[in-house]
Amino acid sequence: MQTLNEQVLAPTDVGNALIGIRGGSELDLDLRLESVHEGILVSGTATARIAGECGRCLEPIEYDFEADIQELFYYEESEEFEDDDDMDQYWVVDDLIDIDPVVRGAVVTALPFQPVCKENCLGLCSECGISLNDDPEHEHEILDPRWAALAQLSDNVASDATNDKTSFKREEK
């Protein structure tokens, strides 16, 4: 068994559309490499600074993130899973292993699909785009288009009633 505590530069494009690790930022690896019958078992954590934007209000967010890693790198001569195309397989080649795809896979699958700046983030107003976190009481009067004809009829009746009162007052004089 061997331990590896190292700080490396993060590869580019680790993340999804809203959040991820900035390429070239520091990535802390705390790994344990164990020799097992089939190959080398790599387990540990990768810690990095995650940056992106909230999926509700689009405000920038940034925090430290730790992803768990556990993967078996098979020896080249191992034929145990060679024919299984559905399974990701990693190999020891010339006594070397490439942990980049393993770290990338561990981080990307552990990232939130819809990151939020806080659990109770209210997001943006769908009408005007104002942040509802800044003004939680913000609202627009929205009429259901199915009731538009009835609202127009109501306005016509009110207008007719006003005209009738005016004409009635004129007749009394």
Side-chain angles (χ1 to χ4, degrees):
M1 184 192 75
Q2 188 177 7
T3 58
L4 173 71
N5 294 315
E6 200 168 311
Q7 198 171 57
V8 297
L9 296 179
T12 57
D13 300 330
V14 177
N16 58 42
L18 291 177
I19 195 161
I21 300 173
R22 289 192 179 120
S25 64
E26 293 178 352
L27 179 65
D28 294 324
L29 298 175
D30 184 16
L31 302 174
R32 194 166 96 175
L33 307 151
E34 296 179 75
S35 178
V36 294
H37 180 69
E38 297 87 8
I40 298 173
L41 178 64
V42 177
S43 57
T45 59
T47 307
R49 190 82 177 152
I50 300 295
E53 57 187 26
C54 177
R56 294 181 188 163
C57 68
L58 304 178
E59 288 293 320
I61 54 176
E62 199 169 320
Y63 59 92
D64 288 328
F65 182 78
E66 183 174 281
D68 292 323
I69 297 172
Q70 185 165 1
E71 193 63 54
L72 180 60
F73 288 81
Y74 294 95
Y75 291 125
E76 288 180 278
E77 60 271 358
S78 175
E79 297 177 11
E80 191 170 336
F81 297 107
E82 267 185 27
D83 297 331
D84 193 357
D85 292 334
D86 294 337
M87 184 176 203
D88 286 337
Q89 298 174 23
Y90 300 100
W91 302 95
V92 178
V93 179
D94 297 328
D95 293 331
L96 299 173
I97 59 173
D98 181 13
I99 62 169
D100 180 65
V102 173
V103 170
R104 185 182 302 270
V107 170
V108 170
T109 56
L111 286 173
F113 184 68
Q114 287 290 337
V116 291
C117 57
K118 56 186 177 186
E119 279 300 314
N120 59 351
C121 177
L122 299 174
L124 301 175
C125 174
S126 62
E127 294 295 315
C128 65
I130 190 171
S131 174
L132 297 175
N133 293 321
D134 298 337
D135 185 8
E137 303 298 320
H138 176 80
E139 62 183 47
H140 296 273
E141 185 177 332
I142 300 171
L143 296 176
D144 189 336
R146 296 173 292 185
W147 295 101
L150 188 57
Q152 185 178 8
L153 181 62
S154 173
D155 291 343
N156 290 343
V157 168
S159 175
D160 289 346
T162 304
N163 290 339
D164 286 346
K165 287 180 185 176
T166 308
S167 61
F168 180 70
K169 286 181 183 178
R170 287 184 191 151
E171 291 175 10
E172 287 180 0
K173 291 183 183 178

